[in-house]
Amino acid sequence: MSLSKQALISYVQSELNIDQPIDGDTELFSTGMLDSVSMVGLIGFVESKAGVHVQPGDVTLDNFDTIDAILAYVDSLG
């Protein structure tokens, strides 16, 4: 399975009802655009599309605050 930048952006905009422009560096959580409930759905999407399991200790702003950070985190899982 694979996870692309466009798939993540499309998920955030359509499934999490964000109608603002989003790019790889857009801060999703630290700006309040998304909340903890959105995080649960986002993690499920990442796990299903990338075929990975996100450990609870890895759910940090460093790993999930931007689209680029999410992709880098998924890449780090190998």
Side-chain angles (χ1 to χ4, degrees):
M1 298 192 184
S2 66
L3 180 64
S4 69
K5 180 181 284 192
Q6 188 54 50
L8 270 171
I9 290 171
S10 293
Y11 173 81
V12 169
Q13 289 180 319
S14 64
E15 297 299 321
L16 302 179
N17 299 318
I18 302 298
D19 57 2
Q20 303 173 35
I22 296 173
D23 61 25
D25 294 331
T26 302
E27 294 176 338
L28 303 172
F29 293 96
S30 61
T31 59
M33 182 181 296
L34 298 180
D35 59 18
S36 59
V37 174
S38 301
M39 176 67 87
V40 173
L42 180 60
I43 290 170
F45 177 77
V46 168
E47 287 180 329
S48 69
K49 290 295 183 184
V52 298
H53 178 69
V54 176
Q55 297 295 324
D58 291 344
V59 182
T60 64
L61 286 179
D62 285 343
N63 291 335
F64 282 90
D65 199 29
T66 67
I67 298 295
D68 287 345
I70 295 168
L71 292 171
Y73 168 70
V74 169
D75 283 346
S76 76
L77 296 176

